[in-house]
Amino acid sequence: MIGNDPALVNMYNTMIGDPTTGYRVKGYYSNKIITNNPQNLNYLGDMKALYHNMENSPDTSIDDVFCSLSHDHNDEIAQIMKFCDAHLIRFYYIPRMFGNYRLRLKPEMMGETLTYTNHLEPLSCTTNKLIKRLFDVTISIFCCICLIPIIPIIALIIKIQSPGPIFFKQERTGFEGKTFNCYKFRSMHVNKDADTAQATKDDPRKFAFGNFMRKTNIDELPQFWNVLKGDMSIVGPRPHMLHHTQIYSELIDKYMVRHFCKPGITGWAQVTGFRGETKELWQMEERVERDIWYIEHWTFMLDIKIIYKTIKSVIIPDKCAY
């Protein structure tokens, strides 16, 4: 290993943590000792010692070199790479850490140029984007047609139990951070806290039929109109009210990354146990982590899996659904 960046310590721990990898780490070269250096990670010397050994007595038993030097040392890195090529040693460059923030860079071709990005989304591919959109349009048209005879019945029950509009319209944060109007069947009495307060288990703002709609996801059905318009997708990170976007974007690292994808009627976070009220910050952090995971691992079959799990939760209502 070459360098003193904490990223090397993470790599070392990964190697020795899994004996099946077969790695034996000889040690590291660096001008500075690694802070909190693992006991068995040996210090082999400074960079001068490395270059001396490369020129005079190269170690033929070395199979891999892991380098985490600053790009300010580009000449030295090039020299090390050249040495590795000449001696059949595999060279790996590990992105450095900035404080506790690790750059998880992924390769991406831009024409003939190789670039590295910290977020690589399958939906940035035009073909994948087209497949998802065609699926969204087909399903949303079917669902909107099916809703036509049901809307008067739902509207009548809402009007009987709670005076006010049938539909609830709220501004939410959408794709690329843009604001859009999200539609739902109104499930609460008209109140002044609708744009700031999350629904809770025994929320007095809910009326009886509204509570039933929320538990069975019926209140979300008008969002198929949002999907048809292109504001939303059937599957994606759930759109949050503007008030929560403002708060959590300041509290949670990478919170805004979830907006690299169109918001969805249902999402990976919701079908993996993170639906409903977020009483503590860690709950929202877990939800955001799952949203980002979905964006970076999207496949058409993953969407089908999430839809299946959502339909299952309608039949067997989620205990976290308020």
Side-chain angles (χ1 to χ4, degrees):
M1 293 184 167
I2 303 172
N4 68 330
D5 196 86
L8 289 173
V9 177
N10 289 345
M11 178 57 70
Y12 173 78
N13 290 333
T14 299
M15 289 175 170
I16 65 169
D18 183 3
T20 62
T21 61
Y23 277 108
R24 182 170 64 88
V25 182
K26 290 199 168 188
Y28 73 100
Y29 288 95
S30 175
N31 287 333
K32 294 181 180 179
I33 302 296
I34 294 178
T35 305
N36 298 323
N37 180 41
Q39 185 177 0
N40 295 323
L41 180 55
N42 300 319
Y43 178 65
L44 303 176
D46 60 13
M47 297 302 291
K48 287 183 179 179
L50 170 64
Y51 300 139
H52 180 271
N53 291 340
M54 286 167 54
E55 293 176 5
N56 299 292
S57 55
D59 189 342
T60 57
S61 67
I62 295 175
D63 298 307
D64 302 297
V65 165
F66 293 84
C67 177
S68 189
L69 294 175
S70 165
H71 284 192
D72 292 338
H73 300 278
N74 56 344
D75 290 338
E76 290 90 338
I77 295 173
Q79 183 181 349
I80 294 167
M81 291 174 65
K82 185 177 180 180
F83 172 84
C84 288
D85 287 344
H87 293 82
L88 294 177
I89 298 172
R90 295 188 181 278
F91 175 89
Y92 297 91
Y93 183 81
I94 303 176
R96 303 177 71 218
M97 294 177 64
F98 292 80
N100 293 322
Y101 191 90
R102 175 142 187 205
L103 291 178
R104 300 184 180 276
L105 300 178
K106 304 173 183 68
E108 182 176 11
M109 294 300 297
M110 297 287 287
E112 296 295 322
T113 304
L114 177 63
T115 63
Y116 289 87
T117 177
N118 58 340
H119 296 290
L120 188 62
E121 311 100 51
L123 287 172
S124 63
C125 171
T126 303
T127 302
N128 290 341
K129 199 181 300 183
L130 181 61
I131 291 172
K132 188 171 176 66
R133 182 58 184 156
L134 285 175
F135 179 77
D136 284 344
V137 170
T138 302
I139 299 300
S140 58
I141 288 176
F142 174 77
C143 290
C144 285
I145 292 174
C146 292
L147 270 175
I148 293 174
I150 301 174
I151 288 177
I153 300 172
I154 294 176
L156 179 62
I157 300 175
I158 291 175
K159 282 290 187 181
I160 291 173
Q161 295 194 1
S162 176
I166 305 303
F167 297 101
F168 174 68
K169 181 177 73 172
Q170 185 179 64
E171 288 190 331
R172 298 202 176 186
T173 309
F175 181 55
E176 295 182 339
K178 297 174 183 176
T179 300
F180 75 100
N181 287 315
C182 182
Y183 295 94
K184 301 176 70 173
F185 284 123
R186 184 170 60 86
S187 57
M188 293 184 173
H189 299 295
V190 177
N191 65 91
K192 59 182 177 59
D193 298 320
D195 292 330
T196 56
Q198 287 183 316
T200 58
K201 185 175 182 180
D202 300 311
D203 201 316
R205 297 175 296 168
K206 295 184 291 186
F207 51 89
F209 183 64
N211 190 44
F212 169 76
M213 287 195 295
R214 297 181 76 95
K215 285 183 175 295
T216 55
N217 294 311
I218 292 175
D219 63 319
E220 311 284 1
L221 292 179
Q223 286 165 36
F224 282 107
W225 173 245
N226 283 118
V227 174
L228 193 58
K229 286 175 60 186
D231 296 327
M232 295 177 64
S233 179
I234 293 174
V235 180
R238 284 295 296 156
H240 293 168
M241 61 181 76
L242 302 186
H243 176 68
H244 283 168
T245 298
Q246 182 180 357
I247 292 174
Y248 289 119
S249 63
E250 296 175 358
L251 295 175
I252 301 176
D253 185 32
K254 296 186 180 181
Y255 175 85
M256 294 303 293
V257 172
R258 66 195 302 276
H259 301 108
F260 278 137
C261 175
K262 281 186 181 181
I265 297 177
T266 185
W268 181 242
Q270 283 65 44
V271 299
T272 53
F274 286 88
R275 182 188 172 199
E277 184 184 11
T278 50
K279 295 180 180 179
E280 299 181 29
L281 184 62
W282 70 267
Q283 293 172 305
M284 184 59 79
E285 289 174 335
E286 289 288 342
R287 180 181 292 185
V288 170
E289 184 177 324
R290 281 162 172 74
D291 288 340
I292 295 175
W293 183 91
Y294 167 79
I295 293 172
E296 295 182 343
H297 294 83
W298 178 89
T299 64
F300 180 70
M301 290 310 299
L302 177 59
D303 274 4
I304 298 299
K305 178 180 179 179
I306 292 171
I307 291 170
Y308 167 76
K309 284 179 171 288
T310 302
I311 294 173
K312 185 178 178 181
S313 72
V314 173
I315 300 171
I316 307 174
D318 191 339
K319 294 179 180 180
C320 295
Y322 305 148

